[in-house]
Amino acid sequence: MTYKHRPIIDTLAGYKQGKPAPTSPGRRTFKVSSNENPFEPLESVVEAIEERSLVHLNRYPDMQGWAVVERLAKETNVSPGNIVLGCGSTEVITQLVGLVSGPGDEIVYPWRSFEAYPIIVAGAGATSVQIANLPDGSHDVDGLIAAVNDRTRLVIVNNPNNPTATSLSDGDARRLMDAVPSDVLVLFDEAYFQFNTDSCTSVAMDLFREYPNVVIAHTFSKAYGLAGLRIGYAIAPEDVVEGMRKVALPFGVTDVAQVAALASIDAYEELSDRVKSIVSERNRVVSALRRQGWDFPEPYANFFWLPLGAQTDKAAEAFVQAGLSVRVFGGEGIRISIGETEANDLVIDVCKGLKSAGL
Ligand SMILES: Cc1ncc(COP(=O)(O)O)c(C=O)c1O
């Protein structure tokens, strides 16, 4: 059917969700394609949902999620007026892009990076200005700076970057902040910051206290393991938060998600131990692959990136055969999440086989 619509949408690839674990009767298979937390939900979180939330599913949630906002404000030492929730940080980023841009405006961001950025920008009717990462997978900060002009409404950086898992240094982040005009916002998408062990990394919270135009996107999906509930938040200047609330999806953040977020903040220590064990598994996998001779960017997230180029599809097949769904970027490389110990062992085995086969 022909119908009137915006032609830009026809050019979008659309979001490709990580595939579920392959089916293979008689053996365990694993999903390491979506950078999820492999641990099951905490018992305390499930109990909180059952006790405090399921009883009033017939009611709309608190639209702004004040209890969560106030708690996060306390935890991060900012005012509640600096925090806005979204159904996942994806929605928070959508709010921000919708607030600052429309037709004729430009959003500058690194590429490859989080695949929702081009979709969100096109959704707002604005123009994506994608700056290719450096050969080591890190942001080209000089390129990002050079792309800023009078039409720029937002610069996005992703630290650690999805899918390359690289970290943005404090020096590079400050160079960017010093170069961008103070009335142009800079979004630090830090979905994976809890896994970032880089001693030189930029810390967006520090920059937020020093620069007037910093916005931070954080999520409960990764370190907190609540991907299925869809809750994230931004920390931003108060007038930016006001604008974001106006364009937010009304009632987008469910009461179940709000209760789970509060219970997860209460369980911070337990969740931090899980993060530590994921980081330790990441280090184990990376060391094993380095010993096998693999060359790839040092990962600072709960995933790593194999830049396989033309060999990508061949390698992808080996992972599926072994019972692993990985995230394949055709012709570029494969992103692999750190999963259960058994899944990580399988990843190491497949990589060994690929190396023996000459990759
Ligand atoms: C870099 C980055 N930002 C944001 C998100 C969004 O996460 P969510 O919408 O689940 O909070 C993701 C999810 O994969 C991501 O990789």
Side-chain angles (χ1 to χ4, degrees):
M1 171 204 165
T2 52
Y3 63 102
K4 291 179 180 166
H5 67 286
R6 292 189 292 144
I8 180 81
I9 306 300
D10 296 332
T11 68
L12 286 177
Y15 195 100
K16 281 205 190 86
Q17 181 170 17
K19 289 192 177 136
T23 39
S24 179
R27 71 172 171 160
R28 208 171 158 206
T29 59
F30 299 92
K31 181 185 183 204
V32 284
S33 55
S34 293
N35 302 340
E36 293 154 337
N37 194 313
F39 289 96
E40 283 177 7
L42 287 178
E43 225 170 275
S44 59
V45 172
V46 174
E47 272 169 24
I49 290 170
E50 281 169 0
E51 283 168 21
R52 288 160 33 203
S53 177
L54 294 188
V55 281
H56 35 83
L57 288 184
N58 54 320
R59 303 290 177 191
Y60 284 107
D62 172 1
M63 200 165 98
Q64 313 289 5
W66 284 119
V68 182
V69 166
E70 279 168 6
R71 183 68 190 276
L72 286 170
K74 216 161 134 193
E75 297 291 327
T76 50
N77 204 16
V78 298
S79 147
N82 290 124
I83 296 186
V84 53
L85 303 186
C87 69
S89 55
T90 307
E91 203 241 329
V92 157
I93 300 166
T94 308
Q95 293 167 11
L96 182 64
V97 171
L99 168 65
V100 300
S101 68
D105 300 329
E106 295 182 355
I107 311 287
V108 176
Y109 57 88
W111 198 250
R112 207 169 249 289
S113 191
F114 182 36
E115 62 187 302
Y117 299 154
I119 298 169
I120 292 170
V121 172
T127 301
S128 280
V129 179
Q130 301 182 334
I131 305 302
N133 289 323
L134 297 172
D136 67 0
S138 67
H139 291 354
D140 176 0
V141 173
D142 292 320
L144 291 168
I145 292 171
V148 174
N149 62 37
D150 288 349
R151 292 182 297 279
T152 309
R153 292 290 175 273
L154 180 71
V155 179
I156 305 177
V157 290
N158 186 199
N159 182 34
N161 185 53
N162 176 8
T164 53
T166 49
S167 167
L168 177 73
S169 75
D170 182 56
D172 275 347
R174 283 174 192 279
R175 205 150 52 79
L176 176 71
M177 289 312 304
D178 290 337
V180 174
S182 61
D183 60 353
V184 173
L185 297 176
V186 180
L187 171 67
F188 286 78
D189 178 351
E190 289 190 331
Y192 304 95
F193 79 95
Q194 294 94 338
F195 304 99
N196 191 346
T197 49
D198 176 14
S199 58
C200 300
T201 184
S202 66
V203 176
M205 260 333 283
D206 293 345
L207 299 171
F208 176 75
R209 296 185 208 287
E210 291 174 48
Y211 293 86
N213 50 336
V214 167
V215 178
I216 305 170
H218 283 173
T219 179
F220 283 92
S221 296
K222 309 295 179 180
Y224 285 90
L226 298 182
L229 285 181
R230 317 303 304 123
I231 177 163
Y233 60 98
I235 300 175
E238 293 207 6
D239 42 0
V240 175
V241 164
E242 263 174 46
M244 289 172 73
R245 288 203 176 121
K246 285 184 189 165
V247 297
L249 180 70
F251 305 108
V253 184
T254 66
D255 189 58
V256 179
Q258 294 179 31
V259 166
L262 285 171
S264 300
I265 298 170
D266 286 339
Y268 177 76
E269 294 299 329
E270 212 175 332
L271 287 164
S272 290
D273 286 344
R274 290 179 165 194
V275 167
K276 279 186 203 136
S277 86
I278 292 168
V279 167
S280 136
E281 273 294 281
R282 178 188 80 203
N283 294 343
R284 180 175 76 86
V285 173
V286 169
S287 304
L289 267 57
R290 298 268 186 241
R291 281 196 300 274
Q292 292 171 7
W294 286 92
D295 184 19
F296 59 97
E298 189 61 32
Y300 292 103
N302 62 339
F303 56 89
F304 65 98
W305 170 248
L306 293 179
L308 289 154
Q311 310 269 35
T312 297
D313 289 346
K314 190 171 152 203
E317 189 50 36
F319 286 102
V320 175
Q321 290 302 324
L324 294 161
S325 69
V326 292
R327 180 68 175 85
V328 180
F329 296 84
E332 290 181 61
I334 295 180
R335 187 194 69 200
I336 304 172
S337 311
I338 299 300
E340 299 83 348
T341 306
E342 206 183 320
N344 303 332
D345 286 341
L346 264 182
V347 168
I348 294 171
D349 282 353
V350 173
C351 287
K352 192 173 170 195
L354 289 171
K355 263 287 159 225
S356 319
L359 255 80

